[in-house]
């Protein structure tokens, strides 16, 4: 069961949900989709990714960006949200182990935030799901990155993700028939996350 609490964030209180693994092998931070379109730490894709990381032996932290749930502050177009993610990660490292390898993940807008902070936090692995490349300037990422996208995503077209990934020679795992929210395919998504992110 996730432990929900409030921590100090850059715009006030930051709501988090932490799953502590005994004898954790790694830590994992998962960023949720767009705050202005219903995104929260309870999003089903976010919780699916988090469960996969937990089953891999990670301490897993999800959090609400500023202005969502009990997190204070207001939408900041990605800049402040990146600061929120860094604050959440600092708490995770302090709580579960600063020396453990980091798995950093995000879904949709959260994937943009994860990719944005990745150079600062040096994750062992980066997981981007439903990456919002058509809506935000998602930066280039390194080779330790896994990209998962639905074939029939109607929010972020697959072609846009392939165009973003191609110059980086970045593999993209495509879920046939899946839309942006992976309806009916969350079990398969969890299994794929566990396969890709083994360490």
């Amino acid at each position: 069961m996730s432990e929900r609490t409030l921590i100090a964030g850059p715009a006030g209180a930051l709501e988090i949900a932490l799953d502590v693994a005994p004898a954790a092998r790694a830590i994992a931070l998962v960023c949720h989709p767009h705050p202005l379109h219903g995104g929260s730490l309870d999003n089903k894709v976010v919780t699916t990714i988090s469960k996969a990381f937990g089953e891999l032996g990670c301490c897993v932290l999800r959090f609400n960006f500023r202005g969502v749930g009990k997190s204070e502050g207001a939408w900041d177009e990605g800049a402040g949200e990146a600061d929120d993610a860094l604050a959440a990660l600092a708490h995770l490292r302090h709580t579960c182990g600063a020396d453990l390898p980091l798995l950093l993940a995000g879904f949709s807008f959260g994937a943009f935030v994860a990719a944005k902070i990745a150079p600062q936090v040096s994750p062992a692995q980066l997981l981007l799901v439903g990456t919002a490349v058509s809506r935000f300037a998602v930066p280039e990422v390194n080779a330790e990155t896994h990209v998962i996208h639905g074939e029939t995503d109607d929010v972020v077209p697959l072609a846009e993700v392939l165009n973003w990934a191609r110059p980086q020679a970045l593999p993209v795992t495509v879920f046939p028939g899946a839309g942006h929210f992976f309806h009916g395919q969350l079990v398969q998504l969890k299994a794929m996350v566990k396969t890709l992110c083994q360490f």
Side-chain angles (χ1 to χ4, degrees), residues 102-116:
L102 168 66
L103 304 187
L104 177 61
F107 169 50
S108 196
F109 167 78
F112 159 62
V113 174
K116 186 174 181 179

Side-chain angles (χ1 to χ4, degrees), residues 12 57 71 77 80 121 156 158 195:
S71 290
E77 301 183 4
V121 301
V156 183
L158 174 60
T195 297

Side-chain angles (χ1 to χ4, degrees), residues 1-5 16-20 41-42 46-47 50-51 60-63:
M1 178 68 84
S2 300
E3 175 191 341
R4 292 194 179 229
T5 188
I16 68 165
L18 178 63
D19 290 277
V20 177
L41 62 78
D42 291 313
V46 169
T47 57
S50 298
K51 287 175 184 174
V60 186
L61 190 145
R62 298 170 285 138
F63 66 99

Side-chain angles (χ1 to χ4, degrees), residues 5-16 72 83-84 86-91:
T5 188
L6 298 176
I7 64 171
L14 200 64
E15 184 179 13
I16 68 165
E72 297 176 338
D83 292 337
D84 294 341
L86 293 171
L89 176 56
H91 178 82

Side-chain angles (χ1 to χ4, degrees), residues 78-190:
E81 288 76 12
D83 292 337
D84 294 341
L86 293 171
L89 176 56
H91 178 82
L92 176 60
R93 282 179 161 156
H94 176 76
T95 304
C96 293
D99 297 327
L100 291 175
L102 168 66
L103 304 187
L104 177 61
F107 169 50
S108 196
F109 167 78
F112 159 62
V113 174
K116 186 174 181 179
I117 69 168
Q120 297 172 249
V121 301
S122 302
Q125 297 187 50
L126 177 63
L127 172 68
L128 307 178
V129 179
T131 313
V133 298
S134 59
R135 294 165 181 249
F136 298 93
V138 180
E140 289 190 0
V141 294
N142 66 26
E144 301 303 320
T145 301
H146 310 290
V147 180
I148 299 176
H149 211 81
E151 178 190 23
T152 59
D153 192 318
D154 57 344
V155 176
V156 183
L158 174 60
E160 297 283 346
V161 173
L162 295 176
N163 289 340
W164 170 78
R166 192 174 295 112
Q168 305 175 67
L170 197 64
V172 177
T173 300
V174 178
F175 267 62
H180 191 62
F181 295 98
F182 294 84
H183 295 306
Q185 298 201 40
L186 293 174
V187 172
Q188 295 92 329
L189 176 62
K190 185 171 82 165

